[in-house]
Amino acid sequence: MASRTDTKTRILDAAEKLFAERGFSETSLRLITSKAEVNLASVNYHFGSKKELIRAVLARYLDVFMPSASIEINRLHLAPEHASLNEIFSALIKPLLELNKVRNGGTIIFLQLLGRGYIESQGHLRWFITTHYAEHLATFVKAVSASAPHIPPAEMFWRLHFTLGTIVFTMASADALNEIAAADYGEHNNTEAIIRKVIPYMAAGVAVPVLTN
Amino acid sequence: MASRTDTKTRILDAAEKLFAERGFSETSLRLITSKAEVNLASVNYHFGSKKELIRAVLARYLDVFMPSASIEINRLHLAPEHASLNEIFSALIKPLLELNKVRNGGTIIFLQLLGRGYIESQGHLRWFITTHYAEHLATFVKAVSASAPHIPPAEMFWRLHFTLGTIVFTMASADALNEIAAADYGEHNNTEAIIRKVIPYMAAGVAVPVLTN
DNA sequence: AGTTAATTTAAACACCCGTTTAAATTAATC
DNA sequence: GATTAATTTAAACGGGTGTTTAAATTAACT
């Protein structure tokens, strides 16, 4: 059934790397197939279209991350509602870093793809994610809300999207920021170090009391 | 000298709107010139290339925003170092909203362009901004650092980029988020309302004590 | 082994892109 | 008003894009 390594897999592996680095529209099928060492037409044969390839690339990560994240959230001291926001966000570190075992640089690739998906493709990838992984997202939102009960649901909606923006933009610029940090402050952070830096920032922002005046 | 409205201005006006909505690479010169009702070749005649047009679009906003922001930061109670982080971030509201008077929707267009500039064009727009507006940026960083002296410079570097990501990603998705918020919570926020929502989040994140363990 | 199905391949298709050219037009200057 | 300069215009250039086609090849099944 499979010639050498599965053609489908070779395409996905090459595509996710290029998509994360350069964005979807800046990455041509010809570049993907040449890096993957497969024929140009095989993308349309196996995936139908470029748009569906993009979805498949994202789904391959989400199908690993989402269930794993839900398990960690539910496991929090056997009672997620008593966990702090820092603990809840930190519970996502393990599922995120496990993506590095799936593929080299998997964590940062996943987060960059997520950001590209939300910004580039005007809305239809956001729709794909929120509908296909609704239960997992609800689990997460419920846990966060329970641990910050002073934040009304509408305000929490906005703050969680602020949080998504924070992490996703950070990871999209991670390489550039790391270079500057190394040059200016002698710092050398890997993906995990950056995630551990950003969690307190996000947790503090989500929990800050709403201004009433 | 000018036929009707200045051709150069017509191009910039059409371009900034399309760039903000769809991104740089997704916006063709043919689409820009047709919306602007000018000839295709006039872009290259007046700006040289598409890349230089992108820079000109961004510069037109930065040249208004940056000096205005610096003035507001320096004016903070005549002593910026005694202002709170909330006050410092809030000082940027006026310069941001004044962009709405420059052009309709100017505030959100500017913030979306900023985000596109940082994410899409791999690094060379980030370079353009940090070198051409270095003094203004330094003024801002200095004020923020003075009002959160417990945050080491390297940590502050990261947190300010978290902050940039938060605001820029939020504004890039503002329309979509507003639709959801309206449908799910009956909320209707304009650009200013969203900015006022995000400021406490960012201020809390920037100031949160660094974990020592 | 022979037949059918799945996959791979090279080539072409139709289209859109940024840029350039040279002629036509408009504006400015003497 | 004639001459020069600035701008606008239509057309073409060369190249890249996603997708489709039909033939060649490989794998699977009876």
Side-chain angles (χ1 to χ4, degrees), chain A residues 3-39:
Chain A
S3 43
R4 7 173 207 188
T5 322
D6 198 27
T7 300
K8 232 166 146 174
T9 305
R10 294 178 67 86
I11 293 171
L12 288 169
D13 288 348
E16 66 171 34
K17 206 166 194 170
L18 293 166
F19 283 155
E21 283 171 2
R22 320 154 49 101
F24 301 124
S25 64
E26 300 273 18
T27 304
S28 70
L29 295 184
R30 281 171 177 80
L31 181 58
I32 292 170
T33 51
S34 76
K35 289 263 182 195
E37 298 182 272
V38 301
N39 187 274

PDB file of all heavy atoms in Angstrom, chain A residues 3-39:
ATOM      1  N   SER A   3       4.527   3.146  -0.677  1.00  0.00           N
ATOM      2  CA  SER A   3       5.723   2.932  -1.481  1.00  0.00           C
ATOM      3  C   SER A   3       6.980   2.950  -0.623  1.00  0.00           C
ATOM      4  O   SER A   3       7.681   1.974  -0.500  1.00  0.00           O
ATOM      5  CB  SER A   3       5.805   3.990  -2.577  1.00  0.00           C
ATOM      6  OG  SER A   3       5.486   5.256  -2.068  1.00  0.00           O
ATOM      7  N   ARG A   4       7.285   4.114  -0.035  1.00  0.00           N
ATOM      8  CA  ARG A   4       8.452   4.183   0.865  1.00  0.00           C
ATOM      9  C   ARG A   4       7.873   4.651   2.184  1.00  0.00           C
ATOM     10  O   ARG A   4       7.268   3.858   2.880  1.00  0.00           O
ATOM     11  CB  ARG A   4       9.464   5.182   0.330  1.00  0.00           C
ATOM     12  CG  ARG A   4       8.846   5.896  -0.843  1.00  0.00           C
ATOM     13  CD  ARG A   4       9.536   7.008  -1.448  1.00  0.00           C
ATOM     14  NE  ARG A   4       8.475   7.819  -2.036  1.00  0.00           N
ATOM     15  CZ  ARG A   4       8.674   8.834  -2.814  1.00  0.00           C
ATOM     16  NH1 ARG A   4       9.895   9.203  -3.101  1.00  0.00           N
ATOM     17  NH2 ARG A   4       7.676   9.520  -3.309  1.00  0.00           N
ATOM     18  N   THR A   5       8.083   5.906   2.553  1.00  0.00           N
ATOM     19  CA  THR A   5       7.218   6.440   3.592  1.00  0.00           C
ATOM     20  C   THR A   5       5.923   6.844   2.899  1.00  0.00           C
ATOM     21  O   THR A   5       5.934   7.299   1.773  1.00  0.00           O
ATOM     22  CB  THR A   5       7.856   7.681   4.242  1.00  0.00           C
ATOM     23  OG1 THR A   5       9.251   7.465   4.355  1.00  0.00           O
ATOM     24  CG2 THR A   5       7.256   7.935   5.606  1.00  0.00           C
ATOM     25  N   ASP A   6       4.837   6.677   3.571  1.00  0.00           N
ATOM     26  CA  ASP A   6       3.536   7.031   3.039  1.00  0.00           C
ATOM     27  C   ASP A   6       3.569   8.418   2.406  1.00  0.00           C
ATOM     28  O   ASP A   6       4.000   9.391   3.025  1.00  0.00           O
ATOM     29  CB  ASP A   6       2.509   6.977   4.159  1.00  0.00           C
ATOM     30  CG  ASP A   6       1.086   6.902   3.623  1.00  0.00           C
ATOM     31  OD1 ASP A   6       0.921   6.398   2.495  1.00  0.00           O
ATOM     32  OD2 ASP A   6       0.187   7.352   4.338  1.00  0.00           O
ATOM     33  N   THR A   7       3.123   8.517   1.170  1.00  0.00           N
ATOM     34  CA  THR A   7       3.124   9.804   0.461  1.00  0.00           C
ATOM     35  C   THR A   7       2.331  10.858   1.218  1.00  0.00           C
ATOM     36  O   THR A   7       2.758  12.007   1.359  1.00  0.00           O
ATOM     37  CB  THR A   7       2.526   9.612  -0.942  1.00  0.00           C
ATOM     38  OG1 THR A   7       3.308   8.663  -1.666  1.00  0.00           O
ATOM     39  CG2 THR A   7       2.519  10.929  -1.690  1.00  0.00           C
ATOM     40  N   LYS A   8       1.174  10.448   1.700  1.00  0.00           N
ATOM     41  CA  LYS A   8       0.328  11.361   2.459  1.00  0.00           C
ATOM     42  C   LYS A   8       1.090  11.964   3.638  1.00  0.00           C
ATOM     43  O   LYS A   8       1.031  13.173   3.893  1.00  0.00           O
ATOM     44  CB  LYS A   8      -0.892  10.580   2.970  1.00  0.00           C
ATOM     45  CG  LYS A   8      -2.227  11.232   2.634  1.00  0.00           C
ATOM     46  CD  LYS A   8      -3.363  10.243   2.872  1.00  0.00           C
ATOM     47  CE  LYS A   8      -4.617  10.954   3.364  1.00  0.00           C
ATOM     48  NZ  LYS A   8      -5.770  10.032   3.459  1.00  0.00           N
ATOM     49  N   THR A   9       1.795  11.104   4.348  1.00  0.00           N
ATOM     50  CA  THR A   9       2.553  11.578   5.514  1.00  0.00           C
ATOM     51  C   THR A   9       3.694  12.489   5.108  1.00  0.00           C
ATOM     52  O   THR A   9       3.963  13.504   5.773  1.00  0.00           O
ATOM     53  CB  THR A   9       3.110  10.371   6.299  1.00  0.00           C
ATOM     54  OG1 THR A   9       2.040   9.510   6.624  1.00  0.00           O
ATOM     55  CG2 THR A   9       3.800  10.833   7.568  1.00  0.00           C
ATOM     56  N   ARG A  10       4.369  12.131   4.030  1.00  0.00           N
ATOM     57  CA  ARG A  10       5.481  12.967   3.553  1.00  0.00           C
ATOM     58  C   ARG A  10       4.985  14.373   3.222  1.00  0.00           C
ATOM     59  O   ARG A  10       5.653  15.369   3.507  1.00  0.00           O
ATOM     60  CB  ARG A  10       6.122  12.336   2.313  1.00  0.00           C
ATOM     61  CG  ARG A  10       6.822  11.013   2.587  1.00  0.00           C
ATOM     62  CD  ARG A  10       7.390  10.433   1.293  1.00  0.00           C
ATOM     63  NE  ARG A  10       8.483  11.253   0.762  1.00  0.00           N
ATOM     64  CZ  ARG A  10       9.742  11.122   1.138  1.00  0.00           C
ATOM     65  NH1 ARG A  10      10.064  10.224   2.049  1.00  0.00           N
ATOM     66  NH2 ARG A  10      10.672  11.883   0.609  1.00  0.00           N
ATOM     67  N   ILE A  11       3.802  14.433   2.607  1.00  0.00           N
ATOM     68  CA  ILE A  11       3.224  15.737   2.267  1.00  0.00           C
ATOM     69  C   ILE A  11       2.892  16.522   3.537  1.00  0.00           C
ATOM     70  O   ILE A  11       3.253  17.698   3.673  1.00  0.00           O
ATOM     71  CB  ILE A  11       1.954  15.563   1.405  1.00  0.00           C
ATOM     72  CG1 ILE A  11       2.318  14.978   0.033  1.00  0.00           C
ATOM     73  CG2 ILE A  11       1.240  16.896   1.232  1.00  0.00           C
ATOM     74  CD1 ILE A  11       1.118  14.582  -0.806  1.00  0.00           C
ATOM     75  N   LEU A  12       2.230  15.866   4.476  1.00  0.00           N
ATOM     76  CA  LEU A  12       1.845  16.549   5.719  1.00  0.00           C
ATOM     77  C   LEU A  12       3.073  17.050   6.468  1.00  0.00           C
ATOM     78  O   LEU A  12       3.089  18.182   6.976  1.00  0.00           O
ATOM     79  CB  LEU A  12       1.038  15.595   6.613  1.00  0.00           C
ATOM     80  CG  LEU A  12      -0.390  15.286   6.151  1.00  0.00           C
ATOM     81  CD1 LEU A  12      -0.982  14.132   6.958  1.00  0.00           C
ATOM     82  CD2 LEU A  12      -1.273  16.516   6.276  1.00  0.00           C
ATOM     83  N   ASP A  13       4.112  16.214   6.525  1.00  0.00           N
ATOM     84  CA  ASP A  13       5.326  16.608   7.257  1.00  0.00           C
ATOM     85  C   ASP A  13       5.988  17.836   6.634  1.00  0.00           C
ATOM     86  O   ASP A  13       6.404  18.762   7.334  1.00  0.00           O
ATOM     87  CB  ASP A  13       6.320  15.440   7.283  1.00  0.00           C
ATOM     88  CG  ASP A  13       5.865  14.321   8.201  1.00  0.00           C
ATOM     89  OD1 ASP A  13       4.919  14.543   8.981  1.00  0.00           O
ATOM     90  OD2 ASP A  13       6.443  13.218   8.142  1.00  0.00           O
ATOM     91  N   ALA A  14       6.074  17.829   5.315  1.00  0.00           N
ATOM     92  CA  ALA A  14       6.700  18.979   4.654  1.00  0.00           C
ATOM     93  C   ALA A  14       5.821  20.221   4.753  1.00  0.00           C
ATOM     94  O   ALA A  14       6.301  21.329   4.998  1.00  0.00           O
ATOM     95  CB  ALA A  14       6.983  18.647   3.186  1.00  0.00           C
ATOM     96  N   ALA A  15       4.514  20.002   4.606  1.00  0.00           N
ATOM     97  CA  ALA A  15       3.585  21.139   4.577  1.00  0.00           C
ATOM     98  C   ALA A  15       3.524  21.851   5.919  1.00  0.00           C
ATOM     99  O   ALA A  15       3.580  23.089   5.975  1.00  0.00           O
ATOM    100  CB  ALA A  15       2.186  20.652   4.176  1.00  0.00           C
ATOM    101  N   GLU A  16       3.441  21.112   6.999  1.00  0.00           N
ATOM    102  CA  GLU A  16       3.262  21.762   8.301  1.00  0.00           C
ATOM    103  C   GLU A  16       4.457  22.641   8.639  1.00  0.00           C
ATOM    104  O   GLU A  16       4.305  23.739   9.182  1.00  0.00           O
ATOM    105  CB  GLU A  16       3.040  20.728   9.401  1.00  0.00           C
ATOM    106  CG  GLU A  16       4.226  19.843   9.672  1.00  0.00           C
ATOM    107  CD  GLU A  16       4.023  18.989  10.923  1.00  0.00           C
ATOM    108  OE1 GLU A  16       2.875  18.592  11.182  1.00  0.00           O
ATOM    109  OE2 GLU A  16       5.012  18.727  11.631  1.00  0.00           O
ATOM    110  N   LYS A  17       5.632  22.176   8.291  1.00  0.00           N
ATOM    111  CA  LYS A  17       6.832  22.954   8.570  1.00  0.00           C
ATOM    112  C   LYS A  17       6.814  24.272   7.784  1.00  0.00           C
ATOM    113  O   LYS A  17       7.036  25.348   8.326  1.00  0.00           O
ATOM    114  CB  LYS A  17       8.060  22.131   8.178  1.00  0.00           C
ATOM    115  CG  LYS A  17       9.314  22.498   8.925  1.00  0.00           C
ATOM    116  CD  LYS A  17      10.377  21.416   8.740  1.00  0.00           C
ATOM    117  CE  LYS A  17      11.505  21.571   9.737  1.00  0.00           C
ATOM    118  NZ  LYS A  17      12.417  20.415   9.720  1.00  0.00           N
ATOM    119  N   LEU A  18       6.529  24.172   6.490  1.00  0.00           N
ATOM    120  CA  LEU A  18       6.522  25.360   5.634  1.00  0.00           C
ATOM    121  C   LEU A  18       5.364  26.288   5.991  1.00  0.00           C
ATOM    122  O   LEU A  18       5.534  27.510   6.029  1.00  0.00           O
ATOM    123  CB  LEU A  18       6.441  24.929   4.172  1.00  0.00           C
ATOM    124  CG  LEU A  18       7.679  24.186   3.665  1.00  0.00           C
ATOM    125  CD1 LEU A  18       7.396  23.498   2.332  1.00  0.00           C
ATOM    126  CD2 LEU A  18       8.843  25.152   3.516  1.00  0.00           C
ATOM    127  N   PHE A  19       4.205  25.728   6.261  1.00  0.00           N
ATOM    128  CA  PHE A  19       3.059  26.547   6.653  1.00  0.00           C
ATOM    129  C   PHE A  19       3.370  27.344   7.917  1.00  0.00           C
ATOM    130  O   PHE A  19       3.073  28.536   8.006  1.00  0.00           O
ATOM    131  CB  PHE A  19       1.826  25.669   6.885  1.00  0.00           C
ATOM    132  CG  PHE A  19       1.151  25.194   5.629  1.00  0.00           C
ATOM    133  CD1 PHE A  19       0.396  24.030   5.629  1.00  0.00           C
ATOM    134  CD2 PHE A  19       1.248  25.917   4.447  1.00  0.00           C
ATOM    135  CE1 PHE A  19      -0.243  23.592   4.473  1.00  0.00           C
ATOM    136  CE2 PHE A  19       0.619  25.489   3.282  1.00  0.00           C
ATOM    137  CZ  PHE A  19      -0.132  24.317   3.304  1.00  0.00           C
ATOM    138  N   ALA A  20       3.970  26.676   8.895  1.00  0.00           N
ATOM    139  CA  ALA A  20       4.270  27.348  10.162  1.00  0.00           C
ATOM    140  C   ALA A  20       5.297  28.457   9.957  1.00  0.00           C
ATOM    141  O   ALA A  20       5.181  29.537  10.525  1.00  0.00           O
ATOM    142  CB  ALA A  20       4.780  26.338  11.187  1.00  0.00           C
ATOM    143  N   GLU A  21       6.291  28.196   9.126  1.00  0.00           N
ATOM    144  CA  GLU A  21       7.362  29.177   8.919  1.00  0.00           C
ATOM    145  C   GLU A  21       6.905  30.367   8.089  1.00  0.00           C
ATOM    146  O   GLU A  21       7.209  31.511   8.397  1.00  0.00           O
ATOM    147  CB  GLU A  21       8.545  28.519   8.192  1.00  0.00           C
ATOM    148  CG  GLU A  21       9.409  27.635   9.069  1.00  0.00           C
ATOM    149  CD  GLU A  21      10.422  26.861   8.223  1.00  0.00           C
ATOM    150  OE1 GLU A  21      10.453  27.056   6.994  1.00  0.00           O
ATOM    151  OE2 GLU A  21      11.166  26.040   8.807  1.00  0.00           O
ATOM    152  N   ARG A  22       6.177  30.099   6.979  1.00  0.00           N
ATOM    153  CA  ARG A  22       5.950  31.134   5.988  1.00  0.00           C
ATOM    154  C   ARG A  22       4.489  31.508   5.811  1.00  0.00           C
ATOM    155  O   ARG A  22       4.181  32.429   5.066  1.00  0.00           O
ATOM    156  CB  ARG A  22       6.507  30.676   4.634  1.00  0.00           C
ATOM    157  CG  ARG A  22       7.833  29.930   4.704  1.00  0.00           C
ATOM    158  CD  ARG A  22       8.040  28.988   3.527  1.00  0.00           C
ATOM    159  NE  ARG A  22       7.776  29.634   2.284  1.00  0.00           N
ATOM    160  CZ  ARG A  22       8.705  30.111   1.438  1.00  0.00           C
ATOM    161  NH1 ARG A  22       9.974  29.980   1.727  1.00  0.00           N
ATOM    162  NH2 ARG A  22       8.370  30.689   0.320  1.00  0.00           N
ATOM    163  N   GLY A  23       3.597  30.786   6.452  1.00  0.00           N
ATOM    164  CA  GLY A  23       2.176  31.065   6.260  1.00  0.00           C
ATOM    165  C   GLY A  23       1.597  30.231   5.135  1.00  0.00           C
ATOM    166  O   GLY A  23       2.325  29.652   4.332  1.00  0.00           O
ATOM    167  N   PHE A  24       0.297  30.155   5.079  1.00  0.00           N
ATOM    168  CA  PHE A  24      -0.375  29.294   4.114  1.00  0.00           C
ATOM    169  C   PHE A  24      -0.257  29.816   2.691  1.00  0.00           C
ATOM    170  O   PHE A  24       0.149  29.103   1.783  1.00  0.00           O
ATOM    171  CB  PHE A  24      -1.849  29.134   4.495  1.00  0.00           C
ATOM    172  CG  PHE A  24      -2.057  28.552   5.861  1.00  0.00           C
ATOM    173  CD1 PHE A  24      -2.804  29.218   6.811  1.00  0.00           C
ATOM    174  CD2 PHE A  24      -1.481  27.336   6.201  1.00  0.00           C
ATOM    175  CE1 PHE A  24      -2.992  28.678   8.078  1.00  0.00           C
ATOM    176  CE2 PHE A  24      -1.661  26.790   7.467  1.00  0.00           C
ATOM    177  CZ  PHE A  24      -2.419  27.478   8.404  1.00  0.00           C
ATOM    178  N   SER A  25      -0.617  31.062   2.495  1.00  0.00           N
ATOM    179  CA  SER A  25      -0.664  31.575   1.122  1.00  0.00           C
ATOM    180  C   SER A  25       0.737  31.808   0.559  1.00  0.00           C
ATOM    181  O   SER A  25       0.920  31.847  -0.652  1.00  0.00           O
ATOM    182  CB  SER A  25      -1.477  32.863   1.058  1.00  0.00           C
ATOM    183  OG  SER A  25      -0.839  33.871   1.803  1.00  0.00           O
ATOM    184  N   GLU A  26       1.721  31.933   1.430  1.00  0.00           N
ATOM    185  CA  GLU A  26       3.094  32.130   0.958  1.00  0.00           C
ATOM    186  C   GLU A  26       3.778  30.802   0.636  1.00  0.00           C
ATOM    187  O   GLU A  26       4.922  30.791   0.186  1.00  0.00           O
ATOM    188  CB  GLU A  26       3.919  32.882   2.012  1.00  0.00           C
ATOM    189  CG  GLU A  26       3.394  34.262   2.356  1.00  0.00           C
ATOM    190  CD  GLU A  26       3.936  35.340   1.423  1.00  0.00           C
ATOM    191  OE1 GLU A  26       4.426  34.988   0.330  1.00  0.00           O
ATOM    192  OE2 GLU A  26       3.856  36.524   1.796  1.00  0.00           O
ATOM    193  N   THR A  27       3.102  29.709   0.909  1.00  0.00           N
ATOM    194  CA  THR A  27       3.677  28.391   0.655  1.00  0.00           C
ATOM    195  C   THR A  27       2.966  27.730  -0.520  1.00  0.00           C
ATOM    196  O   THR A  27       1.774  27.436  -0.447  1.00  0.00           O
ATOM    197  CB  THR A  27       3.540  27.503   1.906  1.00  0.00           C
ATOM    198  OG1 THR A  27       4.149  28.151   3.018  1.00  0.00           O
ATOM    199  CG2 THR A  27       4.210  26.166   1.676  1.00  0.00           C
ATOM    200  N   SER A  28       3.682  27.503  -1.605  1.00  0.00           N
ATOM    201  CA  SER A  28       3.070  26.901  -2.786  1.00  0.00           C
ATOM    202  C   SER A  28       3.116  25.378  -2.706  1.00  0.00           C
ATOM    203  O   SER A  28       3.963  24.801  -2.032  1.00  0.00           O
ATOM    204  CB  SER A  28       3.794  27.374  -4.042  1.00  0.00           C
ATOM    205  OG  SER A  28       5.087  26.806  -4.102  1.00  0.00           O
ATOM    206  N   LEU A  29       2.189  24.761  -3.417  1.00  0.00           N
ATOM    207  CA  LEU A  29       2.174  23.299  -3.463  1.00  0.00           C
ATOM    208  C   LEU A  29       3.441  22.769  -4.105  1.00  0.00           C
ATOM    209  O   LEU A  29       3.917  21.686  -3.759  1.00  0.00           O
ATOM    210  CB  LEU A  29       0.938  22.825  -4.235  1.00  0.00           C
ATOM    211  CG  LEU A  29      -0.406  23.150  -3.588  1.00  0.00           C
ATOM    212  CD1 LEU A  29      -1.549  22.540  -4.380  1.00  0.00           C
ATOM    213  CD2 LEU A  29      -0.440  22.643  -2.159  1.00  0.00           C
ATOM    214  N   ARG A  30       3.988  23.535  -5.038  1.00  0.00           N
ATOM    215  CA  ARG A  30       5.227  23.095  -5.681  1.00  0.00           C
ATOM    216  C   ARG A  30       6.392  23.039  -4.699  1.00  0.00           C
ATOM    217  O   ARG A  30       7.243  22.159  -4.749  1.00  0.00           O
ATOM    218  CB  ARG A  30       5.549  24.018  -6.861  1.00  0.00           C
ATOM    219  CG  ARG A  30       4.722  23.712  -8.103  1.00  0.00           C
ATOM    220  CD  ARG A  30       4.894  24.762  -9.190  1.00  0.00           C
ATOM    221  NE  ARG A  30       4.138  24.419 -10.395  1.00  0.00           N
ATOM    222  CZ  ARG A  30       2.836  24.613 -10.551  1.00  0.00           C
ATOM    223  NH1 ARG A  30       2.143  25.156  -9.569  1.00  0.00           N
ATOM    224  NH2 ARG A  30       2.233  24.269 -11.670  1.00  0.00           N
ATOM    225  N   LEU A  31       6.421  24.011  -3.780  1.00  0.00           N
ATOM    226  CA  LEU A  31       7.475  24.002  -2.756  1.00  0.00           C
ATOM    227  C   LEU A  31       7.284  22.826  -1.806  1.00  0.00           C
ATOM    228  O   LEU A  31       8.250  22.116  -1.466  1.00  0.00           O
ATOM    229  CB  LEU A  31       7.441  25.324  -1.981  1.00  0.00           C
ATOM    230  CG  LEU A  31       8.497  25.492  -0.887  1.00  0.00           C
ATOM    231  CD1 LEU A  31       9.901  25.354  -1.456  1.00  0.00           C
ATOM    232  CD2 LEU A  31       8.346  26.838  -0.184  1.00  0.00           C
ATOM    233  N   ILE A  32       6.049  22.585  -1.416  1.00  0.00           N
ATOM    234  CA  ILE A  32       5.757  21.475  -0.512  1.00  0.00           C
ATOM    235  C   ILE A  32       6.152  20.143  -1.138  1.00  0.00           C
ATOM    236  O   ILE A  32       6.859  19.334  -0.545  1.00  0.00           O
ATOM    237  CB  ILE A  32       4.255  21.451  -0.149  1.00  0.00           C
ATOM    238  CG1 ILE A  32       3.901  22.676   0.705  1.00  0.00           C
ATOM    239  CG2 ILE A  32       3.890  20.169   0.592  1.00  0.00           C
ATOM    240  CD1 ILE A  32       2.407  22.867   0.906  1.00  0.00           C
ATOM    241  N   THR A  33       5.698  19.920  -2.380  1.00  0.00           N
ATOM    242  CA  THR A  33       5.938  18.617  -3.000  1.00  0.00           C
ATOM    243  C   THR A  33       7.412  18.397  -3.331  1.00  0.00           C
ATOM    244  O   THR A  33       7.883  17.266  -3.334  1.00  0.00           O
ATOM    245  CB  THR A  33       5.104  18.460  -4.283  1.00  0.00           C
ATOM    246  OG1 THR A  33       5.313  19.597  -5.131  1.00  0.00           O
ATOM    247  CG2 THR A  33       3.630  18.359  -3.938  1.00  0.00           C
ATOM    248  N   SER A  34       8.133  19.473  -3.599  1.00  0.00           N
ATOM    249  CA  SER A  34       9.568  19.292  -3.872  1.00  0.00           C
ATOM    250  C   SER A  34      10.310  18.954  -2.590  1.00  0.00           C
ATOM    251  O   SER A  34      11.199  18.103  -2.586  1.00  0.00           O
ATOM    252  CB  SER A  34      10.149  20.542  -4.550  1.00  0.00           C
ATOM    253  OG  SER A  34      10.337  21.572  -3.603  1.00  0.00           O
ATOM    254  N   LYS A  35       9.953  19.591  -1.479  1.00  0.00           N
ATOM    255  CA  LYS A  35      10.564  19.251  -0.183  1.00  0.00           C
ATOM    256  C   LYS A  35      10.180  17.838   0.234  1.00  0.00           C
ATOM    257  O   LYS A  35      10.978  17.123   0.839  1.00  0.00           O
ATOM    258  CB  LYS A  35      10.108  20.243   0.894  1.00  0.00           C
ATOM    259  CG  LYS A  35      10.698  21.638   0.761  1.00  0.00           C
ATOM    260  CD  LYS A  35      11.909  21.849   1.644  1.00  0.00           C
ATOM    261  CE  LYS A  35      12.428  23.279   1.497  1.00  0.00           C
ATOM    262  NZ  LYS A  35      13.783  23.447   2.053  1.00  0.00           N
ATOM    263  N   ALA A  36       8.964  17.442  -0.074  1.00  0.00           N
ATOM    264  CA  ALA A  36       8.483  16.119   0.311  1.00  0.00           C
ATOM    265  C   ALA A  36       8.946  15.040  -0.666  1.00  0.00           C
ATOM    266  O   ALA A  36       8.773  13.856  -0.409  1.00  0.00           O
ATOM    267  CB  ALA A  36       6.963  16.120   0.400  1.00  0.00           C
ATOM    268  N   GLU A  37       9.518  15.489  -1.792  1.00  0.00           N
ATOM    269  CA  GLU A  37       9.970  14.564  -2.840  1.00  0.00           C
ATOM    270  C   GLU A  37       8.822  13.670  -3.335  1.00  0.00           C
ATOM    271  O   GLU A  37       8.963  12.451  -3.412  1.00  0.00           O
ATOM    272  CB  GLU A  37      11.142  13.709  -2.352  1.00  0.00           C
ATOM    273  CG  GLU A  37      12.361  14.546  -1.995  1.00  0.00           C
ATOM    274  CD  GLU A  37      13.550  13.692  -1.550  1.00  0.00           C
ATOM    275  OE1 GLU A  37      13.667  13.381  -0.358  1.00  0.00           O
ATOM    276  OE2 GLU A  37      14.371  13.328  -2.419  1.00  0.00           O
ATOM    277  N   VAL A  38       7.701  14.314  -3.604  1.00  0.00           N
ATOM    278  CA  VAL A  38       6.567  13.611  -4.210  1.00  0.00           C
ATOM    279  C   VAL A  38       6.091  14.436  -5.396  1.00  0.00           C
ATOM    280  O   VAL A  38       6.480  15.594  -5.568  1.00  0.00           O
ATOM    281  CB  VAL A  38       5.404  13.432  -3.211  1.00  0.00           C
ATOM    282  CG1 VAL A  38       5.861  12.642  -1.994  1.00  0.00           C
ATOM    283  CG2 VAL A  38       4.849  14.788  -2.795  1.00  0.00           C
ATOM    284  N   ASN A  39       5.226  13.844  -6.192  1.00  0.00           N
ATOM    285  CA  ASN A  39       4.728  14.542  -7.365  1.00  0.00           C
ATOM    286  C   ASN A  39       3.721  15.622  -6.985  1.00  0.00           C
ATOM    287  O   ASN A  39       2.958  15.484  -6.031  1.00  0.00           O
ATOM    288  CB  ASN A  39       4.081  13.534  -8.325  1.00  0.00           C
ATOM    289  CG  ASN A  39       3.689  14.178  -9.638  1.00  0.00           C
ATOM    290  OD1 ASN A  39       2.617  14.734  -9.762  1.00  0.00           O
ATOM    291  ND2 ASN A  39       4.596  14.128 -10.605  1.00  0.00           N
TER     292      ASN A  39
END
